[in-house]
Short mmCIF file of all heavy atoms in Angstrom, two decimals:
data_model
loop_
_atom_site.label_atom_id
_atom_site.label_comp_id
_atom_site.label_asym_id
_atom_site.label_seq_id
_atom_site.Cartn_x
_atom_site.Cartn_y
_atom_site.Cartn_z
N GLN G 1 113.70 20.55 25.03
CA GLN G 1 112.30 20.23 25.31
C GLN G 1 111.34 21.21 24.63
O GLN G 1 110.17 20.88 24.43
CB GLN G 1 112.05 20.24 26.83
CG GLN G 1 112.82 19.18 27.60
CD GLN G 1 112.33 17.77 27.31
OE1 GLN G 1 111.19 17.58 26.91
NE2 GLN G 1 113.19 16.78 27.48
N ARG G 2 111.85 22.39 24.26
CA ARG G 2 111.00 23.39 23.65
C ARG G 2 111.08 23.38 22.13
O ARG G 2 110.36 24.10 21.46
CB ARG G 2 111.41 24.79 24.14
CG ARG G 2 111.32 24.97 25.64
CD ARG G 2 111.80 26.35 26.07
NE ARG G 2 110.98 27.40 25.50
CZ ARG G 2 111.39 28.25 24.56
NH1 ARG G 2 112.61 28.16 24.08
NH2 ARG G 2 110.60 29.18 24.09
N LEU G 3 111.97 22.56 21.58
CA LEU G 3 112.20 22.57 20.14
C LEU G 3 111.40 21.49 19.45
O LEU G 3 110.81 20.61 20.07
CB LEU G 3 113.70 22.36 19.85
CG LEU G 3 114.65 23.36 20.52
CD1 LEU G 3 116.08 22.99 20.22
CD2 LEU G 3 114.35 24.77 20.07
N GLY G 4 111.43 21.53 18.11
CA GLY G 4 110.76 20.50 17.33
C GLY G 4 111.34 19.13 17.61
O GLY G 4 110.67 18.12 17.54
N GLY G 5 112.63 19.10 17.94
CA GLY G 5 113.28 17.82 18.23
C GLY G 5 113.21 17.49 19.70
O GLY G 5 114.22 17.19 20.33
N THR G 6 112.06 17.56 20.31
CA THR G 6 111.93 17.32 21.74
C THR G 6 112.43 15.93 22.11
O THR G 6 112.06 14.93 21.50
CB THR G 6 110.46 17.45 22.18
OG1 THR G 6 110.02 18.76 21.89
CG2 THR G 6 110.30 17.16 23.65
N ALA G 7 113.28 15.88 23.10
CA ALA G 7 113.80 14.60 23.56
C ALA G 7 112.77 13.93 24.47
O ALA G 7 112.39 14.47 25.50
CB ALA G 7 115.11 14.81 24.32
N VAL G 8 112.30 12.78 24.08
CA VAL G 8 111.30 12.05 24.85
C VAL G 8 111.96 10.91 25.58
O VAL G 8 112.78 10.17 25.02
CB VAL G 8 110.20 11.50 23.91
CG1 VAL G 8 109.19 10.70 24.70
CG2 VAL G 8 109.52 12.65 23.19
N ASP G 9 111.66 10.75 26.86
CA ASP G 9 112.19 9.63 27.64
C ASP G 9 111.54 8.34 27.14
O ASP G 9 110.35 8.12 27.31
CB ASP G 9 111.89 9.85 29.13
CG ASP G 9 112.46 8.74 30.00
OD1 ASP G 9 113.11 7.82 29.44
OD2 ASP G 9 112.22 8.78 31.22
N PHE G 10 112.35 7.48 26.53
CA PHE G 10 111.83 6.26 25.92
C PHE G 10 111.13 5.38 26.96
O PHE G 10 110.06 4.82 26.70
CB PHE G 10 112.99 5.49 25.27
CG PHE G 10 112.58 4.22 24.57
CD1 PHE G 10 112.04 4.27 23.30
CD2 PHE G 10 112.74 2.98 25.18
CE1 PHE G 10 111.67 3.12 22.64
CE2 PHE G 10 112.37 1.83 24.54
CZ PHE G 10 111.83 1.90 23.26
N MET G 11 111.72 5.30 28.15
CA MET G 11 111.15 4.39 29.15
C MET G 11 109.84 4.89 29.72
O MET G 11 109.10 4.14 30.38
CB MET G 11 112.17 4.18 30.29
CG MET G 11 113.44 3.45 29.83
SD MET G 11 113.08 1.86 29.02
CE MET G 11 112.34 0.95 30.38
N SER G 12 109.51 6.18 29.47
CA SER G 12 108.24 6.69 29.97
C SER G 12 107.08 6.37 29.04
O SER G 12 105.91 6.56 29.39
CB SER G 12 108.34 8.21 30.16
OG SER G 12 108.45 8.86 28.89
N LEU G 13 107.37 5.86 27.85
CA LEU G 13 106.33 5.51 26.90
C LEU G 13 105.64 4.21 27.30
O LEU G 13 106.23 3.36 27.99
CB LEU G 13 106.92 5.35 25.50
CG LEU G 13 107.57 6.61 24.89
CD1 LEU G 13 108.27 6.25 23.58
CD2 LEU G 13 106.53 7.69 24.66
N PRO G 14 104.39 4.01 26.88
CA PRO G 14 103.71 2.74 27.17
C PRO G 14 104.49 1.55 26.60
O PRO G 14 105.17 1.66 25.57
CB PRO G 14 102.35 2.90 26.46
CG PRO G 14 102.17 4.38 26.33
CD PRO G 14 103.53 4.96 26.15
N LEU G 15 104.35 0.39 27.27
CA LEU G 15 105.11 -0.79 26.87
C LEU G 15 104.83 -1.16 25.41
O LEU G 15 105.76 -1.49 24.65
CB LEU G 15 104.73 -1.97 27.78
CG LEU G 15 105.41 -3.31 27.43
CD1 LEU G 15 106.92 -3.19 27.50
CD2 LEU G 15 104.91 -4.41 28.39
N THR G 16 103.55 -1.11 25.00
CA THR G 16 103.22 -1.49 23.61
C THR G 16 103.89 -0.55 22.62
O THR G 16 104.35 -0.98 21.55
CB THR G 16 101.70 -1.47 23.41
OG1 THR G 16 101.19 -0.18 23.80
CG2 THR G 16 101.02 -2.56 24.23
N THR G 17 103.98 0.72 22.96
CA THR G 17 104.63 1.69 22.07
C THR G 17 106.12 1.41 21.98
O THR G 17 106.72 1.45 20.90
CB THR G 17 104.39 3.13 22.58
OG1 THR G 17 103.00 3.38 22.64
CG2 THR G 17 105.05 4.14 21.65
N ARG G 18 106.73 1.09 23.14
CA ARG G 18 108.16 0.80 23.14
C ARG G 18 108.48 -0.43 22.30
O ARG G 18 109.45 -0.46 21.53
CB ARG G 18 108.66 0.60 24.57
CG ARG G 18 108.87 1.91 25.33
CD ARG G 18 109.43 1.64 26.71
NE ARG G 18 108.36 1.30 27.65
CZ ARG G 18 108.53 0.54 28.73
NH1 ARG G 18 109.69 -0.01 28.97
NH2 ARG G 18 107.52 0.31 29.55
N VAL G 19 107.64 -1.47 22.42
CA VAL G 19 107.86 -2.69 21.65
C VAL G 19 107.74 -2.42 20.15
O VAL G 19 108.56 -2.87 19.35
CB VAL G 19 106.85 -3.78 22.08
CG1 VAL G 19 106.92 -4.97 21.12
CG2 VAL G 19 107.14 -4.24 23.50
N ARG G 20 106.72 -1.63 19.78
CA ARG G 20 106.53 -1.31 18.37
C ARG G 20 107.71 -0.51 17.81
O ARG G 20 108.21 -0.80 16.73
CB ARG G 20 105.23 -0.54 18.19
CG ARG G 20 104.98 -0.08 16.75
CD ARG G 20 103.60 0.55 16.60
NE ARG G 20 103.39 1.63 17.55
CZ ARG G 20 103.88 2.87 17.39
NH1 ARG G 20 104.61 3.16 16.32
NH2 ARG G 20 103.63 3.80 18.29
N LEU G 21 108.15 0.49 18.57
CA LEU G 21 109.27 1.31 18.11
C LEU G 21 110.56 0.50 18.00
O LEU G 21 111.34 0.65 17.06
CB LEU G 21 109.47 2.50 19.06
CG LEU G 21 108.38 3.57 19.04
CD1 LEU G 21 108.65 4.61 20.11
CD2 LEU G 21 108.30 4.23 17.66
N ASP G 22 110.78 -0.38 19.00
CA ASP G 22 111.98 -1.22 18.97
C ASP G 22 111.95 -2.17 17.78
O ASP G 22 112.98 -2.40 17.12
CB ASP G 22 112.12 -2.02 20.27
CG ASP G 22 112.81 -1.23 21.37
OD1 ASP G 22 113.53 -0.27 21.03
OD2 ASP G 22 112.62 -1.55 22.55
N ALA G 23 110.78 -2.75 17.50
CA ALA G 23 110.68 -3.68 16.37
C ALA G 23 110.94 -2.97 15.05
O ALA G 23 111.64 -3.48 14.17
CB ALA G 23 109.29 -4.33 16.37
N THR G 24 110.39 -1.75 14.92
CA THR G 24 110.60 -0.99 13.69
C THR G 24 112.06 -0.61 13.52
O THR G 24 112.65 -0.75 12.43
CB THR G 24 109.75 0.30 13.72
OG1 THR G 24 108.37 -0.06 13.85
CG2 THR G 24 109.95 1.12 12.45
N ALA G 25 112.69 -0.18 14.61
CA ALA G 25 114.10 0.21 14.54
C ALA G 25 114.98 -1.00 14.23
O ALA G 25 115.92 -0.91 13.43
CB ALA G 25 114.54 0.85 15.85
N THR G 26 114.68 -2.14 14.86
CA THR G 26 115.48 -3.34 14.62
C THR G 26 115.44 -3.75 13.15
O THR G 26 116.48 -4.07 12.55
CB THR G 26 114.96 -4.51 15.49
OG1 THR G 26 115.07 -4.14 16.87
CG2 THR G 26 115.75 -5.78 15.22
N TRP G 27 114.26 -3.72 12.57
CA TRP G 27 114.14 -4.07 11.15
C TRP G 27 114.92 -3.08 10.27
O TRP G 27 115.61 -3.47 9.33
CB TRP G 27 112.67 -4.10 10.75
CG TRP G 27 112.48 -4.23 9.26
CD1 TRP G 27 111.90 -3.33 8.43
CD2 TRP G 27 112.88 -5.33 8.44
NE1 TRP G 27 111.91 -3.78 7.14
CE2 TRP G 27 112.50 -5.01 7.11
CE3 TRP G 27 113.52 -6.55 8.69
CZ2 TRP G 27 112.75 -5.87 6.05
CZ3 TRP G 27 113.76 -7.39 7.62
CH2 TRP G 27 113.38 -7.06 6.32
N ARG G 28 114.86 -1.79 10.61
CA ARG G 28 115.57 -0.78 9.82
C ARG G 28 117.08 -0.97 9.93
O ARG G 28 117.81 -0.87 8.94
CB ARG G 28 115.18 0.62 10.30
CG ARG G 28 115.69 1.72 9.38
CD ARG G 28 114.95 3.04 9.61
NE ARG G 28 115.08 3.51 10.96
CZ ARG G 28 114.04 3.73 11.79
NH1 ARG G 28 112.81 3.52 11.38
NH2 ARG G 28 114.25 4.17 13.01
N TYR G 29 117.59 -1.26 11.15
CA TYR G 29 119.02 -1.48 11.33
C TYR G 29 119.48 -2.70 10.55
O TYR G 29 120.52 -2.69 9.90
CB TYR G 29 119.38 -1.67 12.79
CG TYR G 29 118.96 -0.54 13.71
CD1 TYR G 29 118.66 -0.78 15.04
CD2 TYR G 29 118.87 0.76 13.24
CE1 TYR G 29 118.27 0.24 15.88
CE2 TYR G 29 118.47 1.79 14.07
CZ TYR G 29 118.18 1.52 15.40
OH TYR G 29 117.79 2.53 16.22
N LEU G 30 118.70 -3.79 10.62
CA LEU G 30 119.07 -5.02 9.92
C LEU G 30 119.13 -4.79 8.42
O LEU G 30 120.05 -5.24 7.72
CB LEU G 30 118.07 -6.13 10.24
CG LEU G 30 118.24 -6.86 11.57
CD1 LEU G 30 117.04 -7.74 11.86
CD2 LEU G 30 119.52 -7.70 11.57
N ARG G 31 118.15 -4.07 7.89
CA ARG G 31 118.06 -3.87 6.46
C ARG G 31 119.16 -2.96 5.95
O ARG G 31 119.74 -3.19 4.87
CB ARG G 31 116.69 -3.27 6.11
CG ARG G 31 116.45 -3.10 4.62
CD ARG G 31 115.04 -2.59 4.38
NE ARG G 31 114.81 -1.33 5.08
CZ ARG G 31 113.65 -0.71 5.14
NH1 ARG G 31 112.57 -1.25 4.58
NH2 ARG G 31 113.52 0.44 5.79
N SER G 32 119.50 -1.92 6.72
CA SER G 32 120.45 -0.93 6.22
C SER G 32 121.90 -1.26 6.57
O SER G 32 122.80 -0.96 5.79
CB SER G 32 120.12 0.46 6.78
OG SER G 32 120.26 0.48 8.19
N SER G 33 122.13 -1.90 7.73
CA SER G 33 123.51 -2.03 8.19
C SER G 33 123.88 -3.41 8.72
O SER G 33 125.04 -3.64 9.06
CB SER G 33 123.80 -0.99 9.29
OG SER G 33 123.50 0.30 8.83
N GLY G 34 122.92 -4.32 8.85
CA GLY G 34 123.25 -5.66 9.27
C GLY G 34 123.13 -5.89 10.77
O GLY G 34 122.83 -4.98 11.54
N PRO G 35 123.38 -7.14 11.20
CA PRO G 35 123.20 -7.51 12.61
C PRO G 35 124.07 -6.70 13.56
O PRO G 35 123.67 -6.47 14.70
CB PRO G 35 123.60 -9.00 12.62
CG PRO G 35 123.40 -9.45 11.22
CD PRO G 35 123.74 -8.28 10.36
N ARG G 36 125.27 -6.31 13.12
CA ARG G 36 126.15 -5.59 14.01
C ARG G 36 125.52 -4.28 14.50
O ARG G 36 125.70 -3.88 15.66
CB ARG G 36 127.47 -5.28 13.30
CG ARG G 36 128.50 -4.58 14.19
CD ARG G 36 128.95 -5.47 15.33
NE ARG G 36 129.61 -4.71 16.38
CZ ARG G 36 130.01 -5.21 17.53
NH1 ARG G 36 129.79 -6.50 17.78
NH2 ARG G 36 130.59 -4.48 18.43
N ALA G 37 124.77 -3.63 13.63
CA ALA G 37 124.11 -2.39 14.01
C ALA G 37 123.11 -2.61 15.14
O ALA G 37 122.97 -1.80 16.05
CB ALA G 37 123.41 -1.78 12.80
N VAL G 38 122.39 -3.74 15.07
CA VAL G 38 121.43 -4.06 16.13
C VAL G 38 122.15 -4.27 17.45
O VAL G 38 121.73 -3.77 18.50
CB VAL G 38 120.62 -5.31 15.74
CG1 VAL G 38 119.65 -5.67 16.87
CG2 VAL G 38 119.86 -5.08 14.45
N ILE G 39 123.25 -4.99 17.42
CA ILE G 39 124.03 -5.24 18.64
C ILE G 39 124.55 -3.95 19.23
O ILE G 39 124.47 -3.70 20.44
CB ILE G 39 125.18 -6.22 18.33
CG1 ILE G 39 124.63 -7.58 17.92
CG2 ILE G 39 126.10 -6.36 19.55
CD1 ILE G 39 125.67 -8.54 17.42
N ASP G 40 125.09 -3.08 18.35
CA ASP G 40 125.60 -1.79 18.84
C ASP G 40 124.51 -0.97 19.51
O ASP G 40 124.71 -0.33 20.54
CB ASP G 40 126.19 -0.99 17.68
CG ASP G 40 127.51 -1.57 17.18
OD1 ASP G 40 128.08 -2.41 17.89
OD2 ASP G 40 127.94 -1.19 16.07
N LYS G 41 123.32 -0.97 18.90
CA LYS G 41 122.22 -0.17 19.45
C LYS G 41 121.75 -0.73 20.79
O LYS G 41 121.43 0.02 21.73
CB LYS G 41 121.06 -0.14 18.45
CG LYS G 41 120.03 0.95 18.78
CD LYS G 41 120.64 2.32 18.64
CE LYS G 41 119.59 3.42 18.83
NZ LYS G 41 120.16 4.75 18.69
N ILE G 42 121.72 -2.06 20.92
CA ILE G 42 121.33 -2.67 22.20
C ILE G 42 122.32 -2.28 23.29
O ILE G 42 121.93 -1.90 24.41
CB ILE G 42 121.26 -4.20 22.06
CG1 ILE G 42 120.06 -4.59 21.17
CG2 ILE G 42 121.14 -4.87 23.43
CD1 ILE G 42 120.02 -6.05 20.83
N HIS G 43 123.62 -2.33 22.95
CA HIS G 43 124.64 -1.94 23.94
C HIS G 43 124.47 -0.48 24.36
O HIS G 43 124.61 -0.12 25.53
CB HIS G 43 126.03 -2.15 23.35
CG HIS G 43 126.42 -3.60 23.25
ND1 HIS G 43 127.49 -4.04 22.52
CD2 HIS G 43 125.87 -4.71 23.80
CE1 HIS G 43 127.59 -5.36 22.61
NE2 HIS G 43 126.61 -5.78 23.38
N TRP G 44 124.15 0.38 23.36
CA TRP G 44 123.97 1.79 23.67
C TRP G 44 122.78 2.02 24.59
O TRP G 44 122.85 2.77 25.56
CB TRP G 44 123.79 2.54 22.34
CG TRP G 44 123.52 4.02 22.50
CD1 TRP G 44 124.40 4.97 22.88
CD2 TRP G 44 122.27 4.69 22.25
NE1 TRP G 44 123.80 6.20 22.89
CE2 TRP G 44 122.50 6.07 22.51
CE3 TRP G 44 121.01 4.27 21.83
CZ2 TRP G 44 121.51 7.02 22.36
CZ3 TRP G 44 120.04 5.23 21.67
CH2 TRP G 44 120.30 6.58 21.95
N ARG G 45 121.65 1.34 24.31
CA ARG G 45 120.46 1.50 25.14
C ARG G 45 120.72 1.01 26.56
O ARG G 45 120.32 1.63 27.56
CB ARG G 45 119.31 0.68 24.53
CG ARG G 45 118.58 1.43 23.41
CD ARG G 45 117.45 2.28 24.01
NE ARG G 45 116.91 3.19 23.02
CZ ARG G 45 116.04 2.85 22.10
NH1 ARG G 45 115.61 1.58 22.00
NH2 ARG G 45 115.57 3.74 21.28
#
């Protein structure tokens, strides 16, 4: 929490921010690694 890589609780962010971040990540996973990466990330979350 004191470092540059502060871990932020995703669920504490505003809903609009969470949707935007999820959409950006989904597009990045699809482009770089395909649909399987999106499924793996959903399972992890």
Side-chain angles (χ1 to χ4, degrees):
Q1 297 291 335
R2 301 177 62 249
L3 304 176
T6 299
V8 178
D9 182 2
F10 182 80
M11 295 305 296
S12 68
L13 298 173
L15 177 60
T16 54
T17 301
R18 282 183 277 153
V19 170
R20 176 174 55 79
L21 291 175
D22 275 337
T24 301
T26 299
W27 170 244
R28 189 162 59 239
Y29 303 151
L30 280 170
R31 184 176 57 185
S32 64
S33 305
R36 183 65 196 175
V38 178
I39 295 172
D40 288 346
K41 195 65 174 180
I42 291 172
H43 287 167
W44 177 72
R45 277 272 169 80

